[in-house]
Amino acid sequence: MSNAKARRRARAAIVEFGIRMQVERLAYWTSGNLSMRVPGDPDLVAVSPSAMPWDLVEPDDVPLVRLDGSVLDGTTRPTSELPLHTLLYQRRPDIRAIVHVHSPAAMAMAALDWTLPAFLTGLVEATGGSVACAPYARPGSAQLADAVADALDGRGCCFLRHHGLLAIGASLPRAFQAATVTEGAADAYLRARSVGTVSDLPADEVDWIAEAWHAQWSGADTGTRG
Ligand SMILES: [Zn+2]
């Protein structure tokens, strides 16, 4: 694929998944942001624009940004949460896409500082297991990127204390899957906890299902088990 084609496709994918983010009620108003590395140019990311209604965003509006934060192209400013994206890509060369949202059940988990246990097959398939909550750090800071990188160890998603949720993937669909499935599972967990006891899946089942999540990183994506 040519550089120009890869850039065009990445920008279109950001718009497509930005709209899906709103359709699936993962983001209110203009909150929430997402990014992906441009295939063939891992130092370059397509990232969502700052404070712009998604129904007005065209692919050409989507900023292309180097990992040092410099904007290569685009008619709009990148999201104000750009450092969270670029610092994570710098720390983790394997991450190819990031979805960050302030969705309701994730915000509740972030408010409570709770870990979402590995209690549903779909959650484990989407994230690799339980979902931890990263300690609070100021938005845009290197400390927040460090805290998130620690909480993501071996997982596709984490909550951000007093803030929201961040999901990663070897592709944008995988990062989006981790975000939206975690939001749904967190909602189910809060409902179930309010009326009864929630138990974890057996550990050997978690390990077996999580293989479907691990496979994306080796390029051997086998699809779902959950
Ligand atoms: Zn945020």
Side-chain angles (χ1 to χ4, degrees), residues 74-137:
T75 58
T76 58
R77 279 184 300 121
T79 169
S80 60
E81 297 191 284
L82 177 66
L84 184 54
H85 295 250
T86 52
L87 292 171
L88 273 174
Y89 287 123
Q90 287 172 17
R91 281 161 178 69
R92 291 274 305 270
D94 56 324
I95 296 176
R96 295 199 200 110
I98 295 171
V99 174
H100 165 57
V101 293
H102 307 165
S103 49
M107 288 192 287
M109 297 296 287
L112 294 162
D113 194 17
W114 281 2
T115 293
L116 186 62
F119 75 117
L120 293 174
T121 57
L123 176 67
V124 176
E125 195 275 330
T127 68
S130 59
V131 175
C133 188
Y136 178 77

Side-chain angles (χ1 to χ4, degrees), residues 40-215:
D41 192 350
D43 181 49
L44 187 66
V45 294
V47 61
S48 50
S50 174
M52 194 169 170
W54 278 104
D55 50 349
L56 300 180
V57 179
E58 299 283 346
D60 284 350
D61 297 325
V62 172
L64 293 172
V65 181
R66 290 285 174 203
L67 292 191
D68 64 5
S70 59
V71 178
L72 185 74
D73 193 20
T75 58
T76 58
R77 279 184 300 121
T79 169
S80 60
E81 297 191 284
L82 177 66
L84 184 54
H85 295 250
T86 52
L87 292 171
L88 273 174
Y89 287 123
Q90 287 172 17
R91 281 161 178 69
R92 291 274 305 270
D94 56 324
I95 296 176
R96 295 199 200 110
I98 295 171
V99 174
H100 165 57
V101 293
H102 307 165
S103 49
M107 288 192 287
M109 297 296 287
L112 294 162
D113 194 17
W114 281 2
T115 293
L116 186 62
F119 75 117
L120 293 174
T121 57
L123 176 67
V124 176
E125 195 275 330
T127 68
S130 59
V131 175
C133 188
Y136 178 77
R138 190 172 286 183
S141 67
Q143 289 77 10
L144 180 59
D146 287 338
V148 170
D150 286 347
L152 283 172
D153 187 26
R155 294 290 189 276
C157 192
C158 71
F159 302 114
L160 281 62
R161 185 92 166 101
H162 300 299
H163 189 160
L165 164 162
L166 185 139
I168 57 168
S171 66
L172 187 53
R174 274 299 204 164
F176 191 87
Q177 177 193 7
T180 194
V181 171
T182 298
E183 171 61 21
D187 183 53
Y189 182 69
L190 294 165
R191 290 168 191 257
R193 282 268 313 220
S194 70
V195 293
T197 303
V198 179
S199 54
D200 286 12
L201 277 160
D204 54 347
E205 289 305 290
V206 171
D207 291 345
W208 181 74
I209 297 165
E211 284 175 24
W213 177 79
H214 286 287

